[in-house]
Amino acid sequence: MATYPPTQADSRVKAVLGPTNTGKTHLAIERLCAHSSGAIGFPLRLLAREVYDRVCAIKGENRVALITGEERIEPKDARWLLCTAEAMPIERDLAFMALDEAQLAADRERGHVFTDRLLNMRGREETMLLGSSILEPMVKALVPEAEVITRPRFSTLSHTGALKLSRIPPRSAIVAFSSEQVYAIAEMLRRFRGGAAVVMGALSPQTRNAQVALYQSGEVDYLVATDAIGMGLNLDVTHVAFAGLSKFDGQRQRRLTTAEMAQIAGRAGRHQRDGTFGTLAGTGSHDAMFTDEEVYAIEEHRFPPLTRLFWREPEPRFDSVDRLIADLEAPPRSPELVAAPEAIDLAVLKRLADDPAVADTLRSKAAVRRFWDACRLPDFRHQGVETHSRFVARIWEDLRRGALGGDYVASAIAALDNVSGDIDTLQHRVASIRSWAYIAQRPDWVVAKDEMAARARAVEARLSDALHARLTERFVNRRTAVLMKKLGPDAALLPVELAGEQVLVDGEAIGALNGFRFVVDPATRHSDRKLLLAAAERHVPTLLAERATGLAGALGDGSAALTLAAGAIAWDGQILARLTRGRSLLAPQIVPDPALDALPAPARKSLLAAIDTWLTAALAPLDPLRKLEAATTDREAGPELRALLIRLVEAGGLMTRDESGLDRLDKGQRTMLARLGVRVGALDLFLPAMLRPAALAAWRELAERKGVAPDPAMPPTLTASGRAKPPGYRALGQQWLRLDMAEKLLRDAHAARIAAGRRPFALDPAKAVSMGLTTASYAQLLRLAGFQPLMPRALRDGAHGAPAPLTWRWRPPRRQAEPEIRARLRPEGAFAALAELVR
């Protein structure tokens, strides 16, 4: 197993850190060529290929090697190696070694590879670590012998804000984070800017180089790329525009970190020529806007330093599969390192090791080592562990017997050598051929390795070129020319129809109706926008009116339903109106959503009337509460009862008895209270109808809009786990019991008490248990009502046996509260003030 950090007194280690556009890569190339031998590891094969071409021009092709997972050009006399980080031959004795973008040691997916190179990669005479300044604390901690050299940026990088695509200046790069968005932007630029070059990590080196040459030569002034350009590609770019500020990192969609933003934005400016960066307006992305803090961090290059790097055992033991997995999952032995998340190679290893048919083939150290090499085959197709495991298992069937047969590999490559099909088909073939290009590069995997590798590279190049050509053909804009020839400038003559939610103009999607809101398709061609929008704006009000009339009718006959949540009335997920303060708590007003303003007046009026009718029916469960509200204005009720009713309405018809002021009511007022449907229990006052789920849900909607909450003396609104609980329940230890059920139990208890007279009496907890209560919860309820248990000491101390009748006595509870509550009940308190107010 590996030990770290290594110490080599004869190796000078330099960490060259700083922002982009500091010439770090150029410095590494100079130092590489100054030594008798050496290697540089890069994060991308595109970057390795670019530097390979530059070093070949200096040293000659027969002395320079390119080593990546999918491509290997290694002349017999090669002394200078350009590699991807994973393919670096760190065991070779070379005078110079360098690692580019070393801060990727903090990357979740590949970080452990860069960490291993940082710790264990050393040149005989000189070692160089290139990266961002955020890596400095980790370098000092893990490589204390390193000399840290900070290089400032040669030029100034400034923020320019958001610009429309039509205003993006020439010599700009637009960065997107999906192939679909890359091609959509490139298509729009083709229409009104003469075209754009496209650069993505998935392109073959030949295609990528041709695209870069197209841009660098000035034939096109715009480059549309993924974040691959942030990894050191040297381009003549003056402005970088972000089409979005979030990306999918393999696990979730997340916003870019400021360091990642700076890495990409730093491509703007060359040497001492200043650069600018900003966002692309009108992309439909809600997060495509820099914050002030992000702008400051990027311009000043101030980012939080890295506090940890991902690590995985680089030299695991192969005594058995279990030992191999244990080593790969072993924790690091340095506080600056953390165990890397489970990568797909380890996930494939663990999955196949559980297969008895595979496990039986792993009986020697050599077999385990070879099997681990197979599991490390990258998942270029991004189809997940399940599918990739099956592919690796098929490869292992041949590898365990020796090597993959030439006929099998040749037929697999030939099956992919087909440039027909649509874009998705070609993209899948490119990903698949990358797998076979990787397999063919392995020195002992394939018979006739050199021939198979050459075939795979040739097929990959053809497929990539065909994919690029197919995309160009597909996005040629013939639509506008056809429409203009047919109809001229009068867009109102264009046919407009509604297909589901999509609004089609002459069969082309221009946008969609989300409820009653028309949303323009952000991918609409710029040159078509005015023509098609003119047609849409002419016809959309008619489509909206038809939809509104149909919805109003459906609400009337019950074939459609609305939803009420968080004070918003919605239909099919789209908000139509909101509730706001009305003349009383139980009579809210409806405020139409601004989207309804686009409706013609008759259709809008009809729809609002239907919504009002629906709302009345939705709030019908609150009618018992409205009955109480009406009684608050009845002078015959008396001020005490009216005050109680006001508080009961505000509490949603649920109130504890101690807080109610019930003792102030005379017999007539109590009778009137009973006629209103209020049940006076031993512990609570409540309207039974308000305990129903529909009533509680309706009440919650109104109460939350008004800032009114149920009586705080009722059960807490939050449980210990932080989840909301509806009112209408009484807390009994760790359990909850609905108020009417609690009253049933207490009524039975009082019946037993009366029958027993003054003697102690037994209460059978069977009924409480049938309600789901424990004996302890039942006992707590009885105590709250004034019952005192006569029970064994063990039970009193907390032991819980099987439910059995317990002996009780009753002492009338003292109707007294805490001092602050008692103060509210005094004549000078708030209750008296409220009673005086309604007198």
Side-chain angles (χ1 to χ4, degrees), residues 194-272:
V198 175
V199 172
M200 296 189 299
L203 295 179
S204 68
Q206 295 91 326
T207 302
R208 195 273 314 185
N209 290 340
Q211 289 292 304
V212 170
L214 189 68
Y215 174 80
Q216 292 290 81
S217 66
E219 291 187 49
V220 293
D221 279 330
Y222 298 91
L223 177 74
V224 187
T226 61
D227 54 346
I229 69 166
M231 293 298 175
L233 291 182
N234 296 310
L235 302 167
D236 185 16
V237 174
T238 59
H239 178 77
V240 172
F242 289 77
L245 294 175
S246 66
K247 70 174 184 178
F248 182 74
D249 63 2
Q251 291 188 330
R252 60 187 176 90
Q253 188 75 18
R254 64 168 178 85
R255 190 174 180 87
L256 301 174
T257 65
T258 51
E260 290 171 332
M261 295 174 184
Q263 186 78 20
I264 299 170
R267 294 299 103 197
R270 190 169 180 85
H271 196 57
Q272 296 183 358

Side-chain angles (χ1 to χ4, degrees), residues 462-476:
R462 284 194 292 271
L463 289 174
S464 298
D465 291 341
L467 174 61
H468 180 70
R470 196 64 42 79
L471 288 164
T472 303
E473 293 170 3
R474 173 179 173 180
F475 293 109
V476 170

Side-chain angles (χ1 to χ4, degrees), residues 17 134 166 178 240 254 321 338 350 402 465 479 494 549 649 659 753 827:
L17 309 177
I134 62 176
S166 58
S178 69
V240 172
R254 64 168 178 85
V321 173
V338 294
K350 293 166 68 175
D465 291 341
R479 180 175 60 177
L494 292 173
T549 303
V649 170
E659 294 289 309
R753 174 184 65 82

Side-chain angles (χ1 to χ4, degrees), residues 43 77 86 219 261 280 342 476 585 621 625 655 673 686 715 725 730 734 742 760 787 806 815 831:
D77 298 327
E86 288 82 353
E219 291 187 49
M261 295 174 184
L280 188 63
E342 184 178 85
V476 170
L585 178 65
L625 206 56
M655 182 186 299
L673 185 66
F686 58 91
K725 270 288 184 181
R730 175 162 287 280
Q734 299 297 319
F787 292 89
L806 303 177
R815 296 294 182 187
F831 181 81

Side-chain angles (χ1 to χ4, degrees), residues 80-101:
W80 295 275
L81 316 177
L82 291 312
C83 321
T84 52
E86 288 82 353
M88 288 190 73
I90 62 174
E91 71 283 353
R92 289 184 60 171
D93 182 19
L94 299 173
F96 175 82
M97 297 282 275
L99 178 66
D100 194 23
E101 305 295 351

Side-chain angles (χ1 to χ4, degrees), residues 545 548 591-611:
V591 178
D593 188 79
L596 300 188
D597 294 342
L599 291 173
R604 186 175 186 271
K605 182 177 180 181
S606 174
L607 179 59
L608 290 178
I611 293 175

